[in-house]
Amino acid sequence: MSDERRKPFPFDEFEPKWQQLWDAEKTFRAPNPGDADFDASKPKFFVLDMFPYPSGSGLHVGHPEGYTATDIIGRTKLRQGFNVLHPMGWDSFGLPAEQYAIKTGQHPRITTEANIKTFKRQLKSLGFGYDWDREIATTDPEYVRWTQWIFLQLYKSYFNEETQKAAPVSELEAKGWTPEQIDEVRLAFIHEAPVNWSPDLGTVLANEEVEEWKSKGHTVERRPLRQWMLRITKYAQRLIDELEPLDWPEGIKALQRNWIGRSDGAEVTFDVEGNDVTVFTTRPDTLFGATYMVLAPEHPLVTEITTADQKDGVDAYIKACASKSDMDRGEMNKDKTGIFTGAFAVNPVNNEKIPVWIADYVMMGYGTGAIMAVPAHDERDFEFATKFELPILQVVQPKGDADWQGYTAHGTSVNSGFLDGMPTKKAKATMITWLEENGKGSGQINYKLRDWLFSRQRYWGEPFPLLWNKETGEHSAVPEDELPLLQPEMEDFKPTGDPRGPLVKATDWINYSDKLERETNTMPQWAGSCWYYLRYCDPSNKERFIGKDVESYWSDNGKSMVDLYVGGTEHAVLHLLYARFYHKVLHDLGYLGTKEPFQKLVNQGLILGEDGQKMSKSRGNVVNPDEVVNEYGADALRLYEMFMGPLTEVKPWQMKGVEGVARFLARVWRVGMEQNQAGEWQVSSKIQDVPCTDKALLKVVHETVKKVSEDITKMSFNTAISQMMVCTNAFTQAEVVPLKEFSLLLSVLNPFAPHLSEELNSLIGGQPFAHQQWPEHDEEALIETEVELVVQVNGKLRDKIKVSKDAPKEEIEAAAQAAPKVADFTEGKTIRKVIVVPGRLVNIVAN
């Protein structure tokens, strides 16, 4: 009995059957130009999920939320006549697999392939309509080949300031530029940069990874290392400007703009003990209020200008700063620290000497690594000056009654010499003119965005296809026909502490020739995830990363590449920014016809555990979808995740909610099926191939077709499901269920619950839905032919009646008087008057 209660319909029998059929028939295969079944007249629709990292723990119920949403859209678009590309693959390089390999001694490829197998099995068990012929993994050798090829295009390109586009460095070679000059402008370049180095992990960490690995007990310190960088800063303005036309959430656009961080201001040159130090400021009008200067602890001038009596303290402070991440020093830095160098700078506008400090809130990666501090009108400077008792001089008079101390908005210049009395906007322009005329600075646009640190000291990543000359130290590209360059087979992946990474141990592999040796750093995980959507379009092409005809078709001849991209907000900045940068470079070089990769972006909300907290192993609140599928079926899981609430909102998981949705599916099943005396399921005797004469039922069916169609377009999946529940209830109450109308309900239910709808549809004689057009609602069926009127007796509600919209007054009066509940209040009384308010009520006056 318990099994029967848990399985009110045989989902465990027909769900695997339909999944196998879709696989065997390649139901969701998307033809490419050149394929025999390709129809060029069909419009394309490219719907994309942010592909997962295949961890050892497999999927949890948070993963299928976005996948179900895209599956609903993809299945609907397919039936609306589109050639739908809905692929899936694996972001399979990464530090977790490498750490597991170090711990167990098992090669990370073995771990990764096992994890992929688990993820794929789970996804297939949920019936997603993916084109599995296009499956990719960033660790596949053929995929690595093209990831490395794209890097080489960056390495062989520079940013042309005149055209504001990437161009081949061969143009510069033709103009006689030296290798040294070309290296200064390459889009992929070598640089000694301060990084987050973890000695025990043996690798550089991105700023966003620091806290995660620190919390696991790993040490992280700041130190300069020779790194490969990508010159993403050259695209800063285009990344801002070309963001605007995209159909993305405004919050995500704002995050990208803030990350890029455009600032308009001026560069000002200060004399620091005989050295020129340039600072950038967005408020040159406050220059008279600069009462001290701050250098980043890593600034190369610090050791030169520090006085003997301050040296020990400065050295100790620099060492302490080395263990802090950029995040600790930036947004998270609540307690200002610093130390005086003993040196002084000369303020160029008044020639006054101001002390030079170092402090961790100033970083070399931002601007010039030096700031002029105006504590009266900058919050960080004000906190610092207050703590260290440094001068605070007002140079802006606020508007209204605001306090001038810490005031950062516009106002009027005071105590500012030739700027006194000017409003801020005019004062800024006047000061920039003065700086330029006196050779003390110039107007400048600055960006917070930094060049992309692209090196990792790991084994499990794409090796750089680069060679170093052992004698001259010059670098060069590996010939493209030698790609892919794979990691050597190694049994020992443990970090050595050598910043060149674990590949330094593969001496045979490193030595390319007597004169040349390989680069031992590997690329970050981003390298493969930045362009994977392009490879989905043409995964088997051995000549190009994407064929010209294929790229033209799937980018709709230059209009857009990915029509709908769905994923979590955790990738709001870095992944999306990096992918946009890659796409623009490839566009500039003539490989792509579009400027942007993702036209429409939707971020699904997080699914929390039943305790209302983010799902995690440590909290013990992770729900495995396998358990839900086993007990309630894949359709119930899919439907519940769409019914929980609006797709973009955060929602807590509730197993009782799954039970409720499963009961709804059981009602749909019982509308179409009944059990015979032997307990076997058969088509219900209520299902009859007859015209629908019940106008109310016909109306609710076509209302459902209309609303579900509209809600799918709006991605309002929860309200679509609610309407299908209303329709199902109407069928449940009907004495006869017309076959045509029941088929319409199954048709619109299909993208949400594909297994149940296909099974019922096949049992009542229907063709598979992938071969059916999406249904259209009948407008005539929605026209109201009857109206409901309130019937009152002496002004009090007694009953309701339904009459034809065009019924004459006499017919309405007669129907009102004949209503069963009305007769009880008029019996034995004389009806004096009957008042009819058309479309609203009938009032019978009786005494």
Side-chain angles (χ1 to χ4, degrees):
M1 287 296 292
S2 61
D3 282 348
E4 180 62 28
R5 186 164 60 250
R6 283 199 303 272
K7 292 184 174 64
F9 58 96
F11 61 81
D12 54 330
E13 296 175 16
F14 63 71
E15 287 187 347
K17 178 186 83 174
W18 284 102
Q19 290 160 15
Q20 290 162 15
L21 185 68
W22 295 329
D23 256 3
E25 295 187 351
K26 298 187 184 296
T27 302
F28 303 103
R29 176 182 168 275
N32 261 357
D35 291 346
D37 56 343
F38 176 72
D39 183 351
S41 67
K42 278 191 174 185
K44 67 92 181 183
F45 191 82
F46 188 172
V47 56
L48 181 66
D49 301 292
M50 290 186 182
F51 68 167
Y53 174 77
S55 66
S57 55
L59 294 174
H60 62 68
V61 291
H63 289 98
E65 182 186 17
Y67 303 160
T68 304
T70 57
D71 197 44
I72 291 169
I73 297 289
R75 286 171 177 269
T76 304
K77 288 287 185 182
L78 182 68
R79 294 175 56 198
Q80 289 173 340
F82 287 82
N83 186 14
V84 176
L85 174 53
H86 189 201
M88 178 50 72
W90 319 105
D91 187 11
S92 45
F93 276 124
L95 191 53
E98 181 152 338
Q99 288 299 299
Y100 186 79
I102 292 169
K103 182 179 177 181
T104 63
Q106 180 172 277
H107 196 286
R109 186 174 298 281
I110 296 172
T111 307
T112 301
E113 288 175 354
N115 294 346
I116 287 174
K117 188 175 180 180
T118 299
F119 267 61
K120 188 172 181 178
R121 174 192 60 76
Q122 290 182 303
L123 289 177
K124 285 198 168 188
S125 76
L126 293 168
F128 295 128
Y130 292 124
D131 181 352
W132 286 108
D133 285 353
R134 295 175 182 264
E135 178 185 8
I136 58 172
T138 57
T139 48
D140 291 342
E142 192 62 17
Y143 190 90
V144 170
R145 172 191 177 189
W146 293 110
T147 299
Q148 292 170 331
W149 180 88
I150 291 172
F151 172 81
L152 288 182
Q153 307 320 299
L154 289 154
Y155 176 76
K156 295 174 182 179
S157 301
Y158 78 106
F159 190 77
N160 187 314
E161 298 289 351
E162 292 182 6
T163 63
Q164 289 292 292
K165 291 182 177 181
V169 296
S170 57
E171 293 181 356
L172 304 178
E173 291 170 344
K175 293 178 181 179
W177 283 44
T178 66
E180 292 76 14
Q181 290 173 316
I182 290 174
D183 285 347
E184 291 296 317
V185 296
R186 286 185 191 275
L187 286 178
F189 64 102
I190 199 76
H191 179 62
E192 185 157 299
V195 295
N196 304 308
W197 169 255
S198 175
D200 49 345
L201 288 173
T203 187
V204 166
L205 297 174
N207 288 329
E208 296 71 30
E209 297 172 319
V210 170
E211 293 308 316
E212 174 191 353
W213 290 99
K214 270 189 172 182
S215 68
K216 296 176 180 177
H218 298 284
T219 57
V220 181
E221 62 185 40
R222 294 287 287 179
R223 61 179 288 183
L225 284 181
R226 191 198 70 184
Q227 302 287 299
W228 283 100
M229 314 278 288
L230 300 186
R231 220 177 289 274
I232 191 174
T233 49
K234 290 295 182 180
Y235 282 79
Q237 194 57 51
R238 280 177 58 184
L239 288 166
I240 292 173
D241 295 341
E242 292 166 12
L243 181 67
E244 293 314 304
L246 302 180
D247 185 5
W248 287 19
E250 282 306 314
I252 301 298
K253 287 185 176 182
L255 285 170
Q256 290 234 339
R257 283 191 294 263
N258 292 339
W259 188 267
I260 298 165
R262 173 178 167 139
S263 301
D264 292 74
E267 281 193 342
V268 185
T269 303
F270 285 73
D271 180 345
V272 179
E273 304 294 344
N275 301 280
D276 283 347
V277 173
T278 301
V279 303
F280 174 80
T281 175
T282 59
R283 293 293 299 272
D285 59 297
T286 65
L287 194 48
F288 282 94
T291 59
Y292 63 99
M293 174 181 275
V294 182
L295 301 181
E298 305 89 353
H299 197 289
L301 199 59
V302 170
T303 54
E304 183 179 332
I305 64 170
T306 299
T307 58
D309 57 338
Q310 292 294 106
K311 185 178 185 304
D312 290 346
V314 167
D315 289 347
Y317 184 75
I318 292 172
K319 186 176 180 181
C321 292
S323 63
K324 295 183 180 181
S325 69
D326 285 3
M327 194 170 291
D328 291 333
R329 293 171 59 175
E331 290 85 350
M332 306 298 292
N333 191 352
K334 303 301 180 186
D335 182 28
K336 297 293 181 290
T337 64
I339 189 168
F340 178 42
T341 64
F344 290 85
V346 177
N347 187 326
V349 293
N350 54 21
N351 291 320
E352 290 188 4
K353 284 192 170 186
I354 58 175
V356 179
W357 287 62
I358 61 171
D360 61 1
Y361 74 92
V362 177
M363 291 173 271
M364 283 304 297
Y366 295 96
T368 63
I371 66 163
M372 64 177 216
V374 183
H377 307 294
D378 181 277
E379 291 179 8
R380 294 186 311 169
D381 297 345
F382 181 75
E383 292 173 7
F384 192 88
T386 302
K387 179 174 180 178
F388 292 103
E389 299 181 350
L390 294 165
I392 301 173
L393 174 64
Q394 179 189 9
V395 289
V396 179
Q397 179 61 40
K399 297 176 181 178
D401 300 326
D403 185 0
W404 63 266
Q405 295 192 79
Y407 180 78
T408 60
H410 285 198
T412 304
S413 292
V414 295
N415 303 321
S416 296
F418 58 84
L419 300 181
D420 281 354
M422 292 184 186
T424 296
K425 188 174 181 180
K426 183 179 179 182
K428 287 175 70 172
T430 303
M431 178 58 81
I432 290 172
T433 300
W434 184 91
L435 289 167
E436 290 175 345
E437 288 177 348
N438 288 273
K440 301 293 186 180
S442 61
Q444 189 76 23
I445 296 171
N446 210 359
Y447 299 92
K448 188 171 70 174
L449 181 68
R450 292 173 292 168
D451 281 326
W452 180 4
L453 195 154
F454 208 65
S455 288
R456 295 294 185 271
Q457 294 69 39
R458 299 175 186 164
Y459 173 76
W460 194 232
E462 302 94 340
F464 282 96
L466 296 172
L467 302 170
W468 289 92
N469 188 301
K470 299 175 186 178
E471 296 176 0
T472 66
E474 293 177 342
H475 47 75
S476 59
V478 168
E480 290 181 7
D481 61 6
E482 293 185 13
L483 300 180
L485 170 61
L486 304 179
Q487 312 98 321
E489 289 299 319
M490 294 173 62
E491 295 182 4
D492 180 11
F493 319 104
K494 293 180 181 177
T496 62
D498 189 320
R500 291 177 295 170
L503 289 180
V504 75
K505 292 181 281 189
T507 52
D508 291 341
W509 179 86
I510 290 172
N511 286 311
Y512 182 81
S513 68
D514 291 342
K515 291 184 177 181
L516 299 172
E517 65 181 11
R518 300 189 188 279
E519 168 65 64
T520 57
N521 278 197
T522 53
M523 299 185 202
Q525 196 169 353
W526 309 109
S529 65
C530 281
W531 72 281
Y532 73 108
Y533 60 95
L534 294 168
R535 191 59 179 172
Y536 277 143
C537 297
D538 208 4
S540 302
N541 194 324
K542 295 188 179 297
E543 304 302 319
R544 289 171 60 95
F545 71 106
I546 181 172
K548 289 183 178 180
D549 291 346
V550 171
E551 189 274 332
S552 179
Y553 175 73
W554 288 110
S555 66
D556 202 7
N557 292 314
K559 294 179 183 177
S560 64
M561 177 59 76
V562 177
D563 298 281
L564 175 63
Y565 196 21
V566 176
T569 55
E570 66 271 21
H571 300 297
V573 175
L574 295 183
H575 161 63
L576 292 173
L577 197 68
Y578 294 157
R580 294 180 64 216
F581 166 61
Y582 259 45
H583 198 95
K584 291 180 190 304
V585 172
L586 292 169
H587 169 264
D588 290 354
L589 297 176
Y591 295 109
L592 300 177
T594 51
K595 293 181 180 179
E596 289 283 340
F598 316 119
Q599 179 58 34
K600 182 178 176 66
L601 174 70
V602 173
N603 297 122
Q604 81 269 18
L606 201 64
I607 291 183
L608 306 175
E610 294 211 42
D611 56 2
Q613 299 185 77
K614 185 176 179 179
M615 287 191 185
S616 71
K617 284 184 184 177
S618 60
R619 294 191 182 99
N621 62 355
V622 173
V623 180
N624 187 327
D626 290 349
E627 299 170 7
V628 182
V629 170
N630 288 338
E631 188 161 356
Y632 298 103
D635 285 339
L637 173 60
R638 293 168 57 111
L639 209 64
Y640 173 61
E641 298 215 349
M642 295 299 95
F643 190 57
M644 294 171 78
L647 178 66
T648 56
E649 291 187 4
V650 176
K651 304 165 283 282
W653 178 268
Q654 297 288 341
M655 196 59 79
K656 287 184 178 179
V658 186
E659 294 174 12
V661 166
R663 285 196 295 271
F664 159 62
L665 290 173
R667 285 199 300 275
V668 177
W669 177 261
R670 288 194 296 272
V671 169
M673 303 296 290
E674 61 189 13
Q675 286 178 296
N676 59 24
Q677 290 184 339
E680 299 166 332
W681 289 106
Q682 61 186 28
V683 176
S684 170
S685 57
K686 289 175 65 175
I687 301 288
Q688 297 182 25
D689 190 4
V690 296
C692 183
T693 57
D694 185 338
K695 292 183 178 180
L697 179 62
L698 193 65
K699 181 172 180 287
V700 77
V701 169
H702 285 278
E703 281 178 340
T704 301
V705 172
K706 181 181 181 182
K707 181 164 178 55
V708 172
S709 299
E710 292 172 346
D711 285 351
I712 288 175
T713 300
K714 296 184 292 187
M715 300 184 76
S716 298
F717 303 121
N718 56 322
T719 55
I721 295 167
S722 295
Q723 180 62 36
M724 288 187 282
M725 289 177 171
V726 170
C727 188
T728 301
N729 288 340
F731 278 128
T732 302
Q733 295 164 16
E735 292 183 9
V736 172
V737 177
L739 179 66
K740 180 181 176 182
E741 281 63 40
F742 184 53
S743 297
L744 284 174
L745 171 63
L746 296 179
S747 186
V748 294
L749 176 62
N750 176 253
F752 297 81
H755 309 88
L756 175 102
S757 55
E758 289 284 12
E759 182 71 4
L760 284 172
N761 182 59
S762 68
L763 291 170
I764 61 176
Q767 291 295 310
F769 284 118
H771 305 306
Q772 293 188 29
Q773 288 188 335
W774 186 255
E776 298 283 343
H777 69 277
D778 183 353
E779 279 291 342
E780 288 190 10
L782 303 181
I783 297 172
E784 294 280 2
T785 57
E786 291 185 327
V787 291
E788 187 175 69
L789 304 178
V790 168
V791 182
Q792 298 175 337
V793 178
N794 296 327
K796 293 185 177 179
L797 173 65
R798 298 306 182 189
D799 208 342
K800 294 179 180 179
I801 59 170
K802 281 190 174 182
V803 295
S804 169
K805 287 181 70 176
D806 303 322
K809 184 171 181 290
E810 296 77 12
E811 185 180 321
I812 295 172
E813 290 180 6
Q817 293 177 52
K821 294 180 183 177
V822 169
D824 294 341
F825 293 94
T826 58
E827 189 175 353
K829 296 180 182 179
T830 301
I831 295 176
R832 301 292 183 184
K833 185 189 295 187
V834 179
I835 303 167
V836 177
V837 180
R840 292 182 58 196
L841 61 84
V842 180
N843 185 27
I844 300 172
V845 181
N847 57 26

